[in-house]
Structures are given as structure tokens and as C-alpha cells.
Amino acid sequence: MTVTAGAVTQLLIDGRLALGGGGAFPTINPATEELLGTAADGDAADMGRAIDAARAAFDETDWSRDVALRVHCLRQLRDALNADIERLRDITVAEVGAPLRLTQSGHLQGPINDLAFPADTAESYPWRVDLGVAEPLGVPTRRTLVREPFGVVGAITPWNFPHQVTFAKLGPALAAGNTVVLKPAPDTPWCAAEVGRIIADKTDFPPGVVNIVTSSDHRLGAMLAEDPRVDVVSFTGSTATGRSVMAAASQTIKKVFLELGGKSAFVVLDDADLVAACTRAAFAVTTHAGQGCALTTRLVVPRSRYDEAISAVVEAMAQIPVGDPRDPNVLCGPLISARQRDRVQGYLDLALEEGGTFACGGGRPSGAGFFIEPTVISGLTNDARVAREEIFGPVLVVLAYDGDADAVRIANDSPYGLSGTVFGADPERVAWIVARLRTGTINVNGGQWYSPDVPFGGYKQSGIGREMGLAGFEEYLETKAIAEAVN
Ligand code: NAD
């Protein structure tokens, strides 16, 4: 570790690094259960000052109108993050339990590089569009559309992919000209605080444009949702918390952007290469110990090939490297906390109560760390709670279907609609299924949707809005119509 045990991180408010009014709170290494150090514990007064600073930076400076400055600052941030990437990598592995190999992609390196997309988009974006002259209501008028930032964005993030979610919010929100108050999850304060330190020390972001308030207190997130000085609340987290964010934000009719939970289906057609599909499904559900909202957690297979599928997926699970996230081979590290480990364990107990069987796993390995064995649950239908509720662990439920329409019915029989996968040999049948799945993203035969120009988000209770891509950038823009009389 390049950050030593006992180190304390700071808040970023109005361009200055500072300790929080609530003192400090611990951050734990989930792979060893050891204390890593402490983080500044922001309190309500800190959050109030952060919102004030963001408001002033938006209302009283030219940030919202200076595209060149924004592009410069974002590119500078990307370069500064890359210059410090080994330190960030150490922190991410130690604090999040993120497997080292995933920091080469979705956990760290990818999201840093992806900051280029919103910067490039801002540079070439049509901020002003001339709609030409018309005579609405008989008045000759030149019509112009102007795209403008909303104002202050309150960004609330979860612990599971802290850098990915943080940069997918900061990038477009700032490129669009907003100012931001970021409230990270209490489980991963160091990841966010390091970004704050780099912004303060290594970039030209004007004071107040980015504020980062780490805290052990969830109510600081609720403050962002309620505060009339905040114009947008951009939330990623569980559907239950998303509901209360939406309710709180309704008091001030602020824009709500929600990226929530998932229970995505992996549909295997009867003509598919079953071993290839099941290997992919095992890989997906164990990535970062299943702590990904878009990971596929229901394997939906033809009843005629159910036993064959169970054997194939159990064999694939046995090949998944589990353990110390610092090991470059490991794919499945620990869960984030004892609380999450116990929550997943509760679902494993429930699976047995509901009549399910563990085809493999179902327990906790001995030794330190919040680990759960990669688990395959068989013998249940989609009505079981373990098939309907988000478990957020390396746990796959295998479900049988009868015919393609039944596969679609099962996949869609969920309050969620975030992602999905289809494996099949016949392109027409695959297309038929894809056209009927009610989800925001779908991988086909091993393809991967994740990239900076592809919008990501959920149907149904998986969220409102899209992150990344042009759609993600435009989430942070208002539209102003200007009508000028022509003589
Ligand atoms: P969570 O909902 O418990 O917490 C998320 C954030 O909300 C944290 O910063 C927390 O402090 C804050 N918060 C808690 N109560 C709040 C309130 N009343 N008002 C405002 N903010 C509040 O989620 P988590 O356990 O940190 O993360 C796991 C969840 O996140 C899973 O459900 C997962 O599916 C979801 N997730 C979704 C996506 C996506 O893009 N769809 C991405 C990652 C994670």
C-alpha cells in the first residue's frame, strides 16, 4: 500500500482540502478485515458549505459558459489520474476488494480513460442550433435553441464500482457546465478522497466546481436530494434508496437521474454452445464477487438441457479464481463488508428454505475476509425470492424454460430491466428474443456493451435516464428556446 495505515483523507470544499466536522471514520480492507485508516467524516454543515460553494461557482463564475476551460480541466484530470494510477490502484484493491486484474479495465483504467469522451463531446457539441425563420402566430421570428447546464448536480454514488460511477457522473456533468457536489458511499471514502486530492493539487478546476464530501452518514445524500439549491440529483445505488431519493427530490421538482439495481437474465437457446454459454455465465456472476448491478444473475436454460447446463456451469465455477484481490489471476474477491456478506448468506439460507439446492458453493470459505463461495442454485422457479431479488454476491440461479416465448417471459418477469445476455446459433431466433427483452443493454453471443460512447441504464425499476454516451452527456443539459423578432 502506498497509503499507510492510520492515514486520514480529507474533504474537498470550495477548492480546499479540509477535515470534516464529524471527525473521522474508519475504512476497512474487506479481504483481510484490517483497518486501513480513516476518512474525513463530513457533517451536515460541511454538506451545506459544499452546496453553497457549488452554487456560487455556478452562479458567479463563467464556468457554465466556458467550454474551453471545462475541456482543459477534464483532460488535465484524466492525465493527473493516470499519472497517479498506481497509488489509485493500490487504494482500489485495498478498500474495495477490487481484483487487481479488473483495475486494468472497468474498475479504474477504463473509467479514467473514458473521461476523454465527455471532454471531446463538449468540444464538438452543437451548443446553439439555428432553427431558421418562421412565422409562428403570424410573427416573423428567428428561432434558436441553446443547450445549457442545469446548475448544481448532487452526485450520490455506491461502493461497488466507485471510480466507474464517479467518473461516469463527474465527466458529463462537468463537461456540460454544471458544478458538482459528490457524496460517495461510506464503505469507499478513500477512492473518492483521492480524486478530491488530485483535483485540488493537480488541476485548474476553479474553487467550488467540484466538491467531495465523504461521510459515514447516509443523511448527507438525502440532504442533496432535498436541498432547493441543488438542481439535479444523479444517484446510483439500490432501488430502495432510489425510491426515497425520488420522493425527497419531488419537494423541489428537481431533475432525478437514477441508476439502480438489476436481476438480469442470461438466456441460452437450445441450439447454443452450452459449454461456452455456461462458462461465460459463471465468469459474469463471479466478476468482483457478483457486486455489479448489470451482471447476469439468472441463467435461463431449456428444460431439455437443464441438467447438462448445471454440470457445465458447476465445472466453469470450479475454474474461477477466488481469493486475494492482489493476486493478478483472481476474478472473485471479497464482498465489501460483513454486512453485505451476511446479507448474501441470508439469501443462501433462504434458497434452501425455498426448496433450492446448491449445485456448488453455498458457504463461506474459512479465514479472514468477507468472502462467499461462488454458488449455483438449482431446482427453483422464477417465483422464488432468490430469483427475484438482487443478491449482490457470486450467486447464480438456474431456471428452466419451455420454448423461446417462455424464455422471454421468465427473463422479463422481474421488477428490474438493466441488462441481459442471449446465446444462440440462429441469428433470427436471437434477434426475436433481443427485440422482446425489456432491458437497457443486451450482450449477444459474448459481445460486450460497455464503452464510453454506449449509453447505459435501466428499464422499469432499474432506473431513469442513461449514463455515458451522448445520451449520458445530454442528461445534464437544459434546453432554452430563443425567439427573436425579424423585421
Ligand atoms: P445504497 O442505495 O445503499 O447507497 C448508495 C448511496 O446512497 C450511498 O452513497 C449512500 O450513502 C447513499 N444513501 C443512502 N441512503 C440515502 C438516502 N436516503 N438519500 C440519499 N442518499 C442515500 O447502495 P449501495 O449498497 O451503496 O450499492 C449497491 C447498489 O447499487 C445495488 O443495488 C446495485 O445494483 C446498485 N448499483 C447500480 C448501478 C447502476 O448503474 N444501475 C451501478 C452500481 C450499483
Side-chain angles (χ1 to χ4, degrees):
M1 269 298 289
T2 47
V3 173
T4 49
V8 60
T9 60
Q10 295 177 293
L11 312 176
L12 174 62
I13 299 177
D14 204 13
R16 283 185 295 275
L17 296 171
L19 294 173
F25 69 109
T27 186
I28 306 287
N29 183 331
T32 63
E33 304 184 34
E34 286 164 357
L35 179 71
L36 282 172
T38 57
D41 202 356
D43 63 11
D46 294 317
M47 182 53 87
R49 287 191 300 116
I51 297 172
D52 273 342
R55 193 72 258 166
F58 187 82
D59 293 338
E60 296 163 23
T61 79
D62 268 341
W63 172 257
S64 67
R65 288 170 291 274
D66 193 340
V67 178
L69 175 62
R70 305 201 301 260
V71 170
H72 160 74
C73 289
L74 276 171
R75 288 183 178 152
Q76 207 181 25
L77 174 60
R78 182 198 54 191
D79 293 347
L81 291 164
N82 267 325
D84 243 346
I85 196 159
E86 293 314 321
R87 179 183 164 87
L88 284 163
R89 196 188 311 282
D90 280 354
I91 290 172
T92 310
V93 173
E95 182 175 67
V96 188
L100 185 65
R101 67 193 261 192
L102 298 181
T103 66
Q104 317 286 352
S105 54
H107 251 304
L108 184 64
Q109 183 69 76
I112 292 175
N113 290 345
D114 293 349
L115 283 170
F117 182 85
D120 294 351
T121 303
E123 203 166 43
S124 60
Y125 192 71
W127 295 99
R128 179 175 280 268
V129 176
D130 183 357
L131 292 184
V133 174
E135 293 200 13
L137 309 176
V139 182
T141 303
R142 173 168 298 286
R143 292 92 32 81
T144 308
L145 294 187
V146 180
R147 302 305 305 271
E148 296 181 336
F150 276 88
V152 174
V153 173
I156 305 172
T157 55
W159 44 262
N160 63 327
F161 277 80
H163 296 301
Q164 194 281 327
V165 179
T166 295
F167 298 140
K169 292 191 188 305
L170 287 186
L174 294 169
N178 301 279
T179 59
V180 177
V181 179
L182 172 70
K183 209 292 296 165
D187 302 274
T188 51
W190 278 12
C191 286
E194 276 304 294
V195 175
R197 182 187 65 76
I198 288 169
I199 288 173
D201 291 349
K202 308 268 181 65
T203 73
D204 298 327
F205 279 99
V209 165
V210 188
N211 306 273
I212 301 180
V213 184
T214 56
S215 178
S216 61
D217 187 352
H218 293 301
R219 285 174 303 178
L220 267 58
M223 265 182 83
L224 281 173
E226 288 161 8
D227 197 298
R229 294 169 295 171
V230 176
D231 300 285
V232 177
V233 60
S234 176
F235 172 82
T236 300
S238 63
T239 295
T241 309
R243 240 174 243 127
S244 57
V245 165
M246 199 169 174
S250 72
Q251 294 306 310
T252 50
I253 315 289
K254 59 173 60 77
K255 172 161 174 154
V256 178
F257 173 82
L258 302 173
E259 293 287 357
L260 308 176
K263 190 76 183 179
S264 300
F266 190 123
V267 176
V268 184
L269 297 185
D270 56 10
D271 61 0
D273 178 340
L274 199 71
V275 171
C278 290
T279 302
R280 176 67 64 158
F283 186 89
V285 79
T286 52
T287 296
H288 189 31
Q291 301 168 108
C293 51
L295 302 178
T296 40
T297 51
R298 292 181 295 149
L299 181 60
V300 183
V301 298
R303 193 175 304 280
S304 59
R305 302 189 74 183
Y306 190 80
D307 292 344
E308 204 187 329
I310 295 286
S311 303
V313 77
V314 166
E315 194 166 317
M317 284 292 213
Q319 309 303 317
I320 299 290
V322 183
D324 184 346
R326 292 171 304 177
D327 178 337
N329 293 314
V330 159
L331 178 70
C332 182
L335 299 184
I336 188 69
S337 61
R339 183 175 54 89
Q340 279 302 115
R341 190 252 337 258
D342 294 347
R343 187 173 167 277
V344 174
Q345 182 69 61
Y347 274 111
L348 297 180
D349 297 344
L350 178 65
L352 297 181
E353 284 165 31
E354 291 189 301
T357 303
F358 298 136
C360 66
R364 282 143 69 154
S366 58
F370 307 126
F371 291 89
I372 289 275
E373 292 167 354
T375 300
V376 173
I377 300 172
S378 63
L380 293 175
T381 67
N382 201 49
D383 295 332
R385 277 182 56 200
V386 292
R388 307 194 72 77
E389 297 177 17
E390 189 177 47
I391 296 176
F392 233 53
V395 181
L396 187 67
V397 181
V398 188
L399 303 164
Y401 71 81
D402 300 294
D404 292 4
D406 195 37
V408 170
R409 181 191 65 75
I410 292 170
N412 284 340
D413 179 20
S414 168
Y416 299 111
L418 195 51
S419 188
T421 293
V422 182
F423 259 70
D426 177 349
E428 277 187 27
R429 279 177 69 198
V430 169
W432 191 89
I433 304 260
V434 167
R436 283 159 180 77
L437 293 185
R438 303 288 299 156
T439 71
T441 54
I442 302 176
N443 292 326
V444 176
N445 286 332
Q448 282 295 332
W449 54 263
Y450 182 83
S451 40
D453 56 345
V454 173
F456 165 62
Y459 284 27
K460 302 192 273 182
Q461 293 185 34
S462 286
I464 299 175
R466 290 293 178 274
E467 203 140 71
M468 306 199 297
L470 185 60
F473 178 79
E474 292 183 332
E475 290 285 350
Y476 294 97
L477 290 175
E478 278 279 24
T479 303
K480 181 184 278 175
I482 302 169
E484 194 183 346
V486 178
N487 296 318

